[in-house]
Amino acid sequence: MAQGVGTRPRGAGRAQLHETALRLFARDGVEGTSLQSIADDMGVTKAAVYYHYRSKDDLVLGVLAPLFEELDALITRTEAHRGRQARLDEFLTGIVGLIVDGHSRFAVFAGDPYVGRLIMSHHDLLHWFHRIVAAVGADTDVPGRAALLIFLSGMTAPLKDAGVSGLPTAEQRHLLLECGRRLLQVRRR
Amino acid sequence: MAQGVGTRPRGAGRAQLHETALRLFARDGVEGTSLQSIADDMGVTKAAVYYHYRSKDDLVLGVLAPLFEELDALITRTEAHRGRQARLDEFLTGIVGLIVDGHSRFAVFAGDPYVGRLIMSHHDLLHWFHRIVAAVGADTDVPGRAALLIFLSGMTAPLKDAGVSGLPTAEQRHLLLECGRRLLQVRRR
DNA sequence: GTCTATAGAAGGATAGAC
DNA sequence: GTCTATCCTTCTATAGAC
């Protein structure tokens, strides 16, 4: 069956490259991972990597691309709800799912200094963040924004803990969701 | 006045080196900061940096050293309290203080992949984490540990937000403390 | 689609003059 | 305490054979 644009079968090598690169990025950081080490891990040479992407930056963006799409869809879904509580719930559920099932893509996205700078100059991370902030109604509310930031940037940490990563993913989701709800619950003065 | 061990005045250059290195580490990540760029920023040469530290790893540890001492003191102080609630309170207040007043030392410590690996092989980060976990009584409690991890690793994010970093430090402390309390409050089933 | 070979830049680190 | 000069390694990236 034809599966997309063009006739060329878009290599299985590409999928393996994504998988390998993501794993090393998550473990050693993007700047701590050379194209050489990726190639070594795959048992090929650097030049084989350059066949798929013409620069390291491109590779990083390529690896993160699926996350960008899912993030975009989640925000759109969130914006469709009415009422802050409903939006918060949709967003939290969705983002927790992305993190637990995302094979550490989110950790690389949110935790790596190199990625931060890269995104800032390509996709504009700020645009997404503003949409998120507005979608959950935290744009006029400094404490709310602070809580959201803590959650977004801290959320991936428990998954590296042995006691948590050993749990079934359903429980991981539940655990993170609990934390998110506790942290982001609106407070009346 | 004699001020410490030895006769040599432990240069003012060293203090400036610490300040510069910390600023660049926080902005670009440790691996994204070359000794060359540090030297350039200070208006000296690489060799001048090597006078103070014999390797980059040593420089990183030197820059973080004050944090290690403060962290150690805080944990000891926390362990002295009786009752989980009192310990949690002492710890939260202390750690928030370290982060707000620490000139981004904690951000580099907790957020940089390079530092993670470095500490693992020198000071043993795990030892500290276990002491922290035990001190606030989260060692047998997986959800509690997850919440603690989210807080410790996410806590520095709001301070990079313009709306938060513009506040007086007293309010920043209050804001973070609120989030910590909400997140770490013990839940009965 | 994968390889060898190599260019060219940048990084960490050292020796020794001033 | 800071400099110049240099070494060695590693990195990104390209050219061109198979």
Side-chain angles (χ1 to χ4, degrees):
Chain A
M1 310 177 189
Q3 49 158 331
V5 197
T7 10
R8 186 126 38 99
R10 285 164 305 171
R14 198 157 182 134
Q16 196 205 343
L17 172 57
H18 280 182
E19 186 271 322
T20 304
L22 179 56
R23 178 165 40 81
L24 297 183
F25 288 162
R27 195 190 64 187
D28 301 329
V30 173
E31 226 143 10
T33 304
S34 67
L35 298 185
Q36 185 67 65
S37 66
I38 295 173
D40 288 351
D41 190 283
M42 293 173 59
V44 298
T45 62
K46 260 190 305 184
V49 174
Y50 275 103
Y51 169 77
H52 294 288
Y53 288 101
R54 71 183 199 293
S55 74
K56 188 179 182 178
D57 284 2
D58 260 36
L59 170 60
V60 174
L61 292 175
V63 166
L64 294 181
L67 174 65
F68 293 152
E69 287 179 32
E70 286 171 324
L71 211 46
D72 195 73
L74 170 60
I75 298 173
T76 303
R77 237 156 51 225
T78 300
E79 289 168 337
H81 284 271
R82 268 166 307 183
R84 180 163 178 177
Q85 212 53 240
R87 288 186 175 182
L88 206 56
D89 228 65
E90 176 75 47
F91 177 72
L92 277 184
T93 312
I95 199 89
V96 164
L98 285 187
I99 293 184
V100 172
D101 305 328
H103 303 295
S104 64
R105 236 178 230 113
F106 195 90
V108 173
F109 168 68
D112 202 290
Y114 185 89
V115 174
R117 278 170 289 158
L118 180 60
I119 305 248
M120 217 75 95
S121 62
H122 284 251
H123 275 76
D124 201 357
L125 170 66
L126 292 171
H127 173 242
W128 264 310
F129 181 60
H130 285 143
R131 276 184 75 195
I132 294 176
V133 163
V136 300
D139 42 353
T140 56
D141 169 24
V142 175
R145 196 160 66 241
L148 184 63
L149 279 165
I150 291 178
F151 189 63
L152 287 177
S153 115
M155 210 178 183
T156 60
L159 299 183
K160 290 167 201 149
D161 180 75
V164 175
S165 65
L167 299 173
T169 61
E171 286 195 41
Q172 292 179 17
R173 262 194 292 270
H174 180 259
L175 209 61
L176 288 184
L177 210 48
E178 261 307 298
C179 289
R181 292 217 172 96
R182 227 180 297 154
L183 192 54
L184 290 165
Q185 223 56 263
V186 190
R187 277 287 168 109
R188 296 267 142 250
R189 318 225 153 129
Chain B
M1 312 177 191
Q3 49 158 331
V5 199
T7 10
R8 185 125 40 99
R10 285 163 307 169
R14 198 155 182 137
Q16 195 205 343
L17 173 56
H18 280 181
E19 186 270 321
T20 303
L22 179 57
R23 178 164 40 82
L24 297 183
F25 288 162
R27 195 190 61 186
D28 301 328
V30 173
E31 226 143 9
T33 304
S34 67
L35 298 184
Q36 185 67 66
S37 67
I38 294 173
D40 288 351
D41 190 282
M42 292 174 61
V44 298
T45 62
K46 260 194 298 186
V49 174
Y50 275 102
Y51 169 76
H52 294 288
Y53 289 100
R54 72 183 197 293
S55 73
K56 189 179 182 179
D57 284 2
D58 261 37
L59 171 60
V60 173
L61 291 174
V63 165
L64 295 180
L67 174 65
F68 295 152
E69 288 180 32
E70 287 170 325
L71 211 46
D72 195 74
L74 170 60
I75 299 173
T76 303
R77 239 157 49 225
T78 300
E79 289 167 336
H81 284 270
R82 268 166 308 183
R84 179 164 179 178
Q85 212 52 240
R87 287 184 175 183
L88 207 56
D89 228 65
E90 176 75 49
F91 176 72
L92 276 184
T93 312
I95 199 88
V96 165
L98 285 186
I99 292 185
V100 172
D101 305 328
H103 301 99
S104 65
R105 239 178 228 111
F106 195 90
V108 172
F109 167 68
D112 202 290
Y114 185 90
V115 174
R117 278 170 289 158
L118 181 60
I119 305 246
M120 216 75 93
S121 62
H122 284 252
H123 274 76
D124 201 356
L125 169 65
L126 292 171
H127 173 241
W128 263 310
F129 181 60
H130 285 143
R131 277 185 74 196
I132 293 177
V133 163
V136 299
D139 42 353
T140 56
D141 170 24
V142 175
R145 197 160 65 244
L148 184 62
L149 279 165
I150 290 178
F151 189 64
L152 288 178
S153 116
M155 210 177 179
T156 60
L159 298 183
K160 291 167 200 150
D161 181 75
V164 176
S165 65
L167 299 173
T169 60
E171 287 195 40
Q172 292 178 17
R173 264 193 292 270
H174 180 260
L175 209 60
L176 289 184
L177 211 48
E178 261 307 297
C179 290
R181 291 217 171 98
R182 228 179 298 156
L183 192 54
L184 290 165
Q185 222 56 261
V186 191
R187 276 288 168 109
R188 294 268 142 249
R189 315 225 155 132

